[in-house]
Every structure is written in C-alpha cells, then in structure tokens.
Amino acid sequence: MSRLICVVGARPNFMKIAPVIEAIRGQAPNIKIRLVHTGQHYDASMKQQFFEQLAIPEPDIDLEVGSGSHSVQTAEIMKRFEPVLLEWQADAVLVVGDVNSTIACALVAAKNNVPVIHVEAGLRSCDRSMPEEINRILTDQLSDRLYITEREAAQNLEREGICADRVCFVGNVMIDTLRKHLQKAEPVTKTLADAGFGQTVPSEYALLTLHRPSNVDTKEALQSLLETLQQVGRHLPIIFPIHPRTAARIKEFGLSELINNPAIYCLEPVGYLQMLGLMANAKMVLTDSGGIQEETTALGVPCVTLRENTERPITVTQGTNVIVGSDHEKILNAVLDIMETGGRAGRIPELWDGQAALRIAQDLQQWFDRHV
Ligand code: UD1
C-alpha cells in the first residue's frame, strides 16, 4: 500500500481534485489517499457547496489557515502542513493548480524529501507580477511528476530545465468535472430566483467574474472596470457573482453605486452547478479567471478575458477566448463584436475529453511502482 496526500485549498482546486481522487480510487486502489484542506478558502460559498456538489470526500484534516497576506498565508500553511506530512509518512504529495496552498505544500514536501506530483503543470503567463505565476514556476521546479493540460506547457517546462521524462500530457481534469456535471447544471432562472431576482430574468446576458488583484486591489483599476461594465450593461444585462475579495474592495473604495444598476444582477459567490448553468447559457463571459477561460472554451461560449495575458494560450489559439485587458474601448469593442457576430466558434483542445484523471491514475500507478 502506498500513501498519497492530496492537497486542496482554494475554490479552483476543488473541481480539479474531484476527478483525480475518484480515478485513483477506481484505477489504483493500492494508493491510499488522505485529503488535506488547507482552509485557504473557508466560507461555505467558497468551499462547502463545492465539496457537496462535486462529491469530494470530507478532508481528513482542515488546517484552517484562513486569509492573510500571501507570505503569511503561505508560511502558515507550511507550518501547519509539515507535522501532518510527517505523521502520515506520505510516500508522495499531490497538488493541483497554482494557488498559495499549492506552492506551500509542495515546498514542505520537497524539504522533507517527499516526491511532489503536480496536476496542471507548465502553464505560464510570463507575468511575474501575478502571484499565481510565481506559484506555478516554483511548484514545477519542485515536482517529480508533472501532468500537463496542453502540449505547449512541455516547452515552457523544457525552457526552465525540467527534464522531459518527468512530464506527462494527460489533458484537463477540470474539463472532466465539467463534462460529468453538465447535465446537472442548475437552470439560470433557479439561480436568479434563489438570489431574489424571480421576476426579471434576462433572456440574454453576459456573465461576469472579477477577482484578480491587478483588477480589484486598487481603486483606480476597479473603478475604471466597473464604469466600463456599466456601459456594457446598456447593451446586454450582466450577471455578476461577486468574489469576497472583490466585494470587500468595492465596499472599501466606496464604489457600490457603480454596481447598483438594474442591468447588473449582483449575486453572492455561486456553487459549481449554478456557475455551470450560468456559463453554459451566457451570450458571453467576461472574466479574469484562469479556469473560466478553459471552461468557456470547452462549452463553446465566447470569453472576453479582462487581463493583459493568459497562461492558457490554447483557449485563444483553439478556443473561444479573446484577451482584451482592462482598456475601456477594447472591452466594449469585443462585447459589441460578439453581439454582432456571435464570437469565435473555437474547437475542443486535444485530450480535453473527460478522461484526463483516468490517465493520471494509470500513470501514477506505474510511477508509484517504479519510485516508491
Ligand atoms: C485565490 C487564488 C487565485 C484563485 C482564487 C479563486 C492565490 C494566490 N490566489 O485568490 O489563484 O483564482 O483563489 O477564488 O492562491 N475570502 C473570504 N472567504 C473565503 C476566502 C477568501 O472572505 O472563503 C476573502 C478574504 O477577504 C481574503 C480574500 O477573499 O483576504 C482573498 O482570498 P485569498 O485566498 O487570499 O485569495 P483569492 O483572491 O481568493
């Protein structure tokens, strides 16, 4: 029996770990999994509803680290994770994505000579002002087995001196989750009714998500974006589930009036099935999220990315994504273009077929046989 610790911490980790755990349990029963939740995201709206909807097993331990500056949060996760790693005598630690929990636990494992497995390795925005870019580069340097979602990621890793025989192209586990749950997506009418908008459901809408520090952490950037979105609202209603970070900044900067607009439907953060329903039925999605760029490509829904770059270039070269940054004109033009033309059709990238976790489980079994 081999022992594997799987780590989750923040919302975008949950849809990635769910199929991986299920596939390892099904395909590699000799690998015994313990699940650690760092507690980076702790609100029910950011955590519990995802565990329930995605049937993720209850974590064996919750480190309850909570919020803090990036350094404090990362350090606190490390302090709390190390004794757990040692007590459980894990043979390997599996981390997903690029959040602070990912790098913190990878670093603890590497410092204790425990091999690190990274799911969603090799993505690069080449923008080091993005906290996730730092997490991605460092986690990959520490990893012994790296599972990639698109072929270009292998070139990024090669450039950084990571040995090709550690890298394995498996596809995209987040799309496994999307495919599995699409039929169960919550109708938009229900999501809006639950949020108190029963009578006024728009037939067409843009879905908006916003939470990147570069967009929301200064008054200037946030105000400018919200003003642009008010203009978008004149052409197309907007449904806006608001991330806690963004909600806090809107309040702190005194910008609440800018979202107090009948064309903008403001919601609390929604669950996975609600989000899937909102995305699948949207005329377009405006976002600064990484995962949503991929999910819209898989759904064939036009995506307007409110960032200057992306670590997921395949969503642009093959999918439905356009990168517009935060420029007022560029955003409005992209929105109007999609309204007029329907946007880019795109195609589904290679191996985004719902079987990525299965490939990981099969490869991992062999890897454990060789290395543990
Ligand atoms: C984190 C990830 C980001 C991911 C995002 C998805 C890092 C560096 N960033 O950003 O990559 O796209 O999650 O949501 O790891 N808060 C709550 N309740 C919660 C969690 C957070 O109110 O359950 C608030 C707190 O005020 C906190 C703020 O949100 O300070 C930011 O949370 P944090 O975990 O630091 O980063 P995110 O912005 O969520």
Side-chain angles (χ1 to χ4, degrees):
M1 200 56 123
S2 313
R3 287 176 297 251
L4 175 68
I5 292 183
C6 293
V7 176
V8 290
R11 186 170 62 177
N13 292 163
F14 304 141
M15 36 291 223
K16 294 170 194 165
I17 207 71
V20 172
I21 291 182
E22 190 186 336
I24 293 175
R25 292 214 160 134
Q27 300 288 313
N30 285 336
I31 301 178
K32 184 171 163 31
I33 295 176
R34 295 261 200 142
L35 180 61
V36 172
H37 177 47
T38 64
Q40 178 175 347
H41 283 174
Y42 44 86
D43 283 357
S45 66
M46 299 294 283
K47 184 214 155 197
Q48 196 53 34
Q49 57 176 340
F50 290 85
F51 273 71
E52 287 163 12
Q53 292 182 355
L54 301 176
I56 303 170
E58 265 307 299
D60 294 283
I61 190 164
D62 184 338
L63 304 178
E64 294 182 354
V65 67
S67 300
S69 74
H70 285 265
S71 306
V72 166
Q73 190 177 57
T74 307
E76 202 55 51
I77 296 168
M78 290 181 68
K79 272 166 67 182
R80 296 181 192 201
F81 181 59
E82 185 165 55
V84 173
L85 176 75
L86 296 177
E87 191 195 325
W88 289 353
Q89 300 181 352
D91 297 306
V93 171
L94 182 147
V95 295
V96 298
D98 56 15
V99 302
N100 288 340
S101 302
T102 309
I103 175 61
C105 294
L107 187 50
V108 170
K111 292 267 182 195
N112 285 282
N113 290 321
V114 175
V116 177
I117 295 150
H118 187 203
V119 174
E120 200 192 80
L123 298 178
R124 296 290 181 270
S125 65
C126 299
D127 172 2
R128 289 202 182 199
S129 69
M130 220 184 150
E132 292 79 5
E133 182 74 353
I134 306 294
N135 295 343
R136 287 188 281 260
I137 293 169
L138 296 179
T139 302
D140 287 340
Q141 282 295 330
L142 299 171
S143 294
D144 298 85
R145 194 75 185 135
L146 300 95
Y147 294 113
I148 61 173
T149 55
E150 53 182 275
R151 287 191 189 277
E152 210 176 313
Q155 294 160 25
N156 295 334
L157 294 170
E158 191 186 350
R159 223 176 14 248
E160 292 170 15
I162 292 167
C163 204
D165 63 9
R166 294 182 170 200
V167 179
C168 182
F169 175 41
V170 290
N172 194 325
V173 291
M174 210 176 53
I175 306 307
D176 293 8
T177 298
L178 182 144
R179 287 183 165 233
K180 180 173 173 185
H181 291 88
L182 194 51
Q183 295 300 325
K184 289 182 274 175
E186 189 97 328
V188 177
T189 45
K190 168 101 172 44
T191 301
L192 287 184
D194 288 349
F197 291 108
Q199 307 306 315
T200 54
V201 175
S203 57
E204 283 195 333
Y205 62 88
L207 176 67
L208 167 69
T209 82
L210 213 55
H211 75 280
R212 290 269 156 240
S214 56
N215 280 334
V216 306
D217 277 4
T218 64
K219 181 174 182 183
E220 203 184 15
L222 185 55
Q223 180 166 358
S224 156
L225 266 177
L226 293 179
E227 282 169 0
T228 304
L229 292 162
Q230 284 210 324
Q231 296 226 6
V232 172
R234 292 199 192 131
H235 302 277
L236 191 63
I238 296 174
I239 298 180
F240 184 19
I242 309 185
H243 187 285
R245 171 191 280 276
T246 310
R249 298 294 183 265
I250 289 175
K251 207 167 150 203
E252 183 188 332
F253 299 147
L255 300 174
S256 302
E257 269 313 299
L258 292 177
I259 51 169
N260 185 8
N261 173 331
I264 304 183
Y265 295 68
C266 294
L267 314 182
E268 298 285 317
V270 293
Y272 184 73
L273 298 176
Q274 286 78 10
M275 192 62 186
L276 208 47
L278 289 172
M279 276 191 290
N281 293 291
K283 180 90 180 157
M284 70 188 79
V285 177
L286 311 180
T287 191
D288 60 7
S289 152
I292 290 174
Q293 295 171 50
E294 297 185 334
E295 289 169 331
T296 45
T297 276
L299 291 166
V301 172
C303 181
V304 178
T305 294
L306 308 173
R307 284 173 44 190
E308 305 299 335
N309 48 52
T310 180
E311 63 287 346
R312 292 160 159 94
I314 205 166
T315 61
V316 176
T317 53
Q318 297 189 19
T320 57
N321 193 14
V322 290
I323 308 289
V324 296
S326 53
D327 180 75
H328 177 85
E329 291 296 315
K330 282 192 189 159
I331 297 172
L332 264 185
N333 287 343
V335 167
L336 294 175
D337 179 63
I338 293 169
M339 289 185 71
E340 210 178 294
T341 66
R344 310 168 50 190
R347 63 184 157 96
I348 309 288
E350 185 183 3
L351 298 191
W352 290 22
D353 58 358
Q355 307 294 317
L358 211 63
R359 289 183 203 102
I360 289 176
Q362 286 163 352
D363 179 81
L364 210 52
Q365 178 67 72
Q366 292 171 12
W367 184 88
F368 267 91
D369 291 346
R370 282 200 307 273
H371 292 88
V372 174

